[in-house]
Amino acid sequence: MSSAVIERDPIFETDFIKEMLRQMRALDSYGTWDGQPVENILAPYVLTKERKATIPIIGDPDEEVLARVKAFYNAIAVLIEKECGMMAVPMVHLTHEGFGRVLITVGKLVAMDRTLRDVHRFGFESLSKMKTEADKILSVALEIVGKYAEVAGI
Amino acid sequence: MSSAVIERDPIFETDFIKEMLRQMRALDSYGTWDGQPVENILAPYVLTKERKATIPIIGDPDEEVLARVKAFYNAIAVLIEKECGMMAVPMVHLTHEGFGRVLITVGKLVAMDRTLRDVHRFGFESLSKMKTEADKILSVALEIVGKYAEVAGI
């Protein structure tokens, strides 16, 4: 570990944030984020209430927002997979105008199931809040996978 | 039952075909199918191998095809629901160029999970083949719902 890393917020050393970065880099076909600090790469996820309120929720959200939503749930699926050792498959499905549903399945088990609303405004007060949310989803998902391991193993 | 109905192929009296008609009528906002015979309304689902081969599988399939795919799996979800008395939720998700995944969930159980390919060519040799396929999916789904009733009931 380099000294530059040690000085930083420990959140950047968590599995979740590391996986988020991997997800974001995978989206970055043109290498525009190469050499950028982590904070900048994840900045689009941080939206204060005031900033959220300025984003119109009319029409379908654009591709970039959708990619961010997918990256977030992909990262959670990767962490589920790491913990339980079984394949976790995310499926983000928008129906219309920023409404939708996101599932993560493990075998025949729905480990996570959420309704999405106002996807245009997808974001969190801070990276720390984002991680807290991801941890919550992860722990609920792992609990159900543990409880119904047979169904998850199909 | 009117005498006109009695003379017809008994397939039109099955729950599946009746539900398919209901699904198709729900799509028909302009009433263009009002008064049309059932065969005509379901005709777009019947594609011989030769007709399939003539449909290009380049680019994303159009909205009409997608609506037909959804109607088919919606009908199956309705029949699952009727049989097991629990809500069955279909989710058809196309990724790109006619590839995708379709799920039907009951509670936290994935009652059906399929990969979709060449959605542009979605169709069956005959209505009878279509019903056979639906019956097969239905019976597999009901079996797993029966086996993991606790998960389906969450």
Side-chain angles (χ1 to χ4, degrees):
Chain A
M1 213 182 280
S2 77
S3 61
V5 169
I6 289 165
E7 285 163 28
R8 301 178 56 190
D9 186 331
I11 198 173
F12 296 114
E13 292 308 305
T14 60
D15 278 354
F16 171 68
I17 295 291
K18 282 183 182 171
E19 186 53 44
M20 278 306 309
L21 272 182
R22 219 169 284 139
Q23 293 289 333
M24 293 299 274
R25 289 219 169 91
L27 293 174
D28 184 28
S29 335
Y30 300 105
T32 45
W33 289 325
D34 290 356
Q36 292 255 359
V38 177
E39 293 87 328
N40 293 15
I41 299 173
L42 296 182
Y45 283 99
V46 181
L47 287 178
T48 59
K49 273 196 188 113
E50 295 71 31
R51 254 191 79 197
K52 269 193 191 180
T54 66
I55 302 173
I57 49 170
I58 293 163
D60 289 329
D62 62 34
E63 285 296 316
E64 271 182 50
V65 176
L66 191 52
R68 280 205 294 280
V69 173
K70 283 182 180 169
F72 178 72
Y73 291 106
N74 282 351
I76 293 174
V78 169
L79 298 185
I80 293 174
E81 199 164 315
K82 247 186 203 165
E83 284 290 328
C84 74
M86 288 177 280
M87 202 168 87
V89 185
M91 193 166 162
V92 175
H93 184 60
L94 289 196
T95 46
H96 64 284
E97 306 256 324
F99 278 76
R101 190 181 173 204
V102 50
L103 289 182
I104 298 178
T105 57
V106 179
K108 290 283 186 194
L109 186 69
V110 179
M112 196 218 71
D113 188 356
R114 292 197 144 198
T115 302
L116 297 173
R117 264 176 249 272
D118 299 342
V119 165
H120 318 69
R121 294 178 178 171
F122 187 81
F124 305 86
E125 287 269 311
S126 64
L127 283 186
S128 154
K129 286 256 169 80
M130 181 177 169
K131 189 186 169 302
T132 305
E133 179 68 11
D135 286 346
K136 218 164 61 185
I137 298 173
L138 182 64
S139 87
V140 174
L142 288 173
E143 198 192 317
I144 180 168
V145 170
K147 191 167 176 191
Y148 301 107
E150 188 188 340
V151 179
I154 300 177
Chain B
M1 213 182 279
S2 77
S3 61
V5 170
I6 289 166
E7 286 163 27
R8 300 177 55 191
D9 187 331
I11 198 172
F12 295 113
E13 292 307 305
T14 61
D15 278 354
F16 171 68
I17 294 291
K18 283 182 181 170
E19 187 52 46
M20 278 305 310
L21 272 181
R22 219 170 281 138
Q23 293 290 333
M24 293 300 274
R25 289 220 169 91
L27 294 173
D28 183 30
S29 334
Y30 300 104
T32 46
W33 288 327
D34 289 356
Q36 291 254 357
V38 177
E39 293 87 328
N40 293 16
I41 299 174
L42 297 181
Y45 284 99
V46 181
L47 286 178
T48 58
K49 274 196 188 115
E50 295 71 32
R51 254 191 79 194
K52 270 193 190 181
T54 66
I55 302 172
I57 49 170
I58 293 164
D60 289 330
D62 62 35
E63 286 296 316
E64 271 182 50
V65 176
L66 191 53
R68 278 204 295 277
V69 173
K70 283 182 179 168
F72 178 72
Y73 291 106
N74 282 351
I76 294 174
V78 169
L79 297 185
I80 292 175
E81 201 164 313
K82 247 186 205 167
E83 284 290 329
C84 74
M86 289 178 280
M87 202 168 85
V89 185
M91 195 166 160
V92 175
H93 184 59
L94 288 197
T95 45
H96 65 285
E97 308 255 323
F99 278 77
R101 189 180 173 206
V102 50
L103 289 182
I104 298 177
T105 58
V106 180
K108 291 284 187 194
L109 186 69
V110 179
M112 196 217 71
D113 188 355
R114 295 198 143 195
T115 302
L116 296 173
R117 265 176 248 272
D118 298 343
V119 165
H120 317 69
R121 294 177 179 172
F122 187 81
F124 304 86
E125 286 269 311
S126 63
L127 283 186
S128 152
K129 287 254 170 78
M130 180 177 171
K131 189 187 170 301
T132 305
E133 179 67 12
D135 286 346
K136 219 164 61 187
I137 298 173
L138 181 65
S139 86
V140 173
L142 288 174
E143 197 191 318
I144 180 169
V145 170
K147 190 166 176 191
Y148 301 109
E150 189 188 342
V151 180
I154 300 175

